[in-house]
Structure formats: C-alpha cells, structure tokens
Amino acid sequence: MFYVFGINGPMYQGGAQRLSHITAVRGVQRPSGLRAGASGVEGQESQIRHSISTLSAKVHDAVNAYLDTEQGPKEERRQIYTVQDVMTQGAVTLPPDINVEQAWQVLAEKKIAQAPVLNAQGVVIGLLLRADMAPLALLPEPGAVQQAMLLAKRPVTEVMVTPVPTVTADTHLRQLTHVLLETGLPGLPVTDADGHLRGFVSRTDVLRAVVSEPPLDLWS
C-alpha cells in the first residue's frame, strides 16, 4: 500500500499502479535548495572517479557474497519479501521550520542522504534530499556570497520534495522498487495510513539485501 502526503495533508491511498497517475508524484521534480556551481571540469571528474570507485567496491562485495553462497550458508537465511524486512527503523527526521544550512549539518553529521520532514503532529509532509543542498563552505561562484547566504536561510519547506509518496511496511519489495524507479527518489518514508513515520527504506537498503541475501530468497 502506498500513500501520498503533502503540506496540506493526505492526497492518495492505493496501489503502485495508480500512484504513477498522480501528477505531483509522476517523475518527482526535485527542487534545488543551495547548490554549488560546480562549473569546473576538475570537480566533475573528481565526482566521477569517486562514483566509479564506490561502484567497484560494491561489485567486489557482491561477487564475494555469491562466492560465499557456493560454500553453503553459514547460518539459516531469512526470507525477504517486504519493506519491513529491509527498512531502517528510527529514521532521522527534520522539523519544517529548520533552515537549509541547519538541515545540511544534521544530514552530514548523521551521514545520511535524506530525511523525512514531519509537521507538529508527527505526520510526514515532505522529504529533504542532501543532493539538493550544499553547505555555505561550497559557494556557487565568486561574488555570489550574499545570494548563497540567503538560500541557506530558506526553510526546508521551500526545498523539500512535497507531496511525497510513502509506503507501508507490509508492501512487497517489487512494488517498492517500481515506485523508486518511476519517481527517481532514493527512498521512501515508511508510514501508517495516517502518515505517522515507522521508518525509512532506501535504494541502499534494497541493494544491501541483494548483496547479503541470494536473489532467489529476495524475489521468490
């Protein structure tokens, strides 16, 4: 089961098929909060090298995991079917009145890439992505300090993805991955029907399950 929550409350409840017809969700438009200019080729090359290095490490870990399965399981493998089998409980959250710079510091300190934004009633109203922000230390261009400072003081409600889809803990992982691919989001808040947060499930959570558990266990 999927839901869609925005600043004004719930907007949708139903399956993944109809979710793609919700205009606000289809191909989620990610806002730019405070981005570095990144016009230099050198900075882009550095990011590419880092991405390739990270991918190589993940491939190496995956190969080793498959080799280990050939030797037989060292312990009984649990079956993985639903969101609750891979999600992170006790996810870091943000209030709507925090500003962009403060939010960046929270995400950086917790070493996470995104966080749900909750209103005063504890209901999800948006999703803040670190990829849509940059700290003041990474100013966009020379002479743009004043503009960068103004952007940094904006509330996260002007930067977060909203409305945002959420998913229930008992939803099948196939449905989840379909929605992640359709929306382009890196993960979804896990909520109940009222929008209260139970956890967060990301692409990394799903990939970690694929690496540590055989795919047949995952999709059977």
Side-chain angles (χ1 to χ4, degrees):
M1 178 71 72
F2 292 87
Y3 305 102
V4 177
F5 293 95
I7 294 178
N8 297 322
M11 299 176 59
Y12 172 80
Q13 173 180 334
Q17 295 78 9
R18 291 184 56 207
L19 181 64
S20 62
H21 296 293
I22 305 299
T23 303
V25 175
R26 190 191 315 120
V28 171
Q29 298 296 314
R30 290 170 52 182
S32 297
L34 176 59
R35 287 188 178 276
S39 57
V41 176
E42 181 179 348
Q44 294 178 0
E45 290 179 347
S46 176
Q47 292 179 356
I48 292 173
R49 286 195 298 269
H50 175 72
S51 297
I52 293 175
S53 176
T54 302
L55 178 61
S56 297
K58 290 182 177 179
V59 170
H60 180 268
D61 291 342
V63 171
N64 285 340
Y66 276 107
L67 291 176
D68 288 342
T69 61
E70 293 181 356
Q71 302 173 4
K74 298 178 181 179
E75 58 183 32
E76 184 178 355
R77 297 188 298 244
R78 62 190 182 95
Q79 300 293 305
I80 295 178
Y81 299 108
T82 63
V83 168
Q84 64 188 354
D85 294 324
V86 301
M87 75 181 195
T88 299
Q89 299 187 20
V92 175
T93 63
L94 297 169
D97 56 351
I98 192 172
N99 66 39
V100 168
E101 181 67 11
Q102 293 170 327
W104 169 271
Q105 294 295 336
V106 172
L107 298 186
E109 289 173 3
K110 299 297 184 179
K111 297 181 179 180
I112 55 177
Q114 61 275 315
V117 179
L118 310 184
N119 63 15
Q121 291 71 44
V123 175
V124 173
I125 60 173
L127 178 63
L128 187 68
L129 308 178
R130 193 171 67 174
D132 290 331
M133 302 185 295
L136 286 176
L138 300 176
L139 298 178
E141 296 175 358
V145 176
Q146 186 63 34
Q147 179 184 5
M149 291 182 66
L150 291 175
L151 290 172
K153 299 304 179 183
R154 292 165 62 186
V156 295
T157 50
E158 297 183 13
V159 180
M160 68 185 185
V161 174
T162 189
V164 62
T166 72
V167 63
T168 55
D170 60 353
T171 301
H172 198 284
L173 283 174
R174 279 189 181 275
Q175 295 177 304
L176 168 69
T177 53
H178 172 77
V179 171
L180 293 180
L181 289 173
E182 286 289 320
T183 62
L185 290 172
L188 296 182
V190 182
T191 70
D192 59 19
D194 297 320
H196 294 108
L197 193 72
R198 290 193 55 189
F200 192 86
V201 59
S202 67
R203 295 185 182 186
T204 301
D205 293 326
V206 177
L207 289 173
R208 186 179 296 114
V210 172
V211 170
S212 60
E213 303 288 339
L216 290 179
D217 284 356
L218 183 65
W219 302 125
S220 60

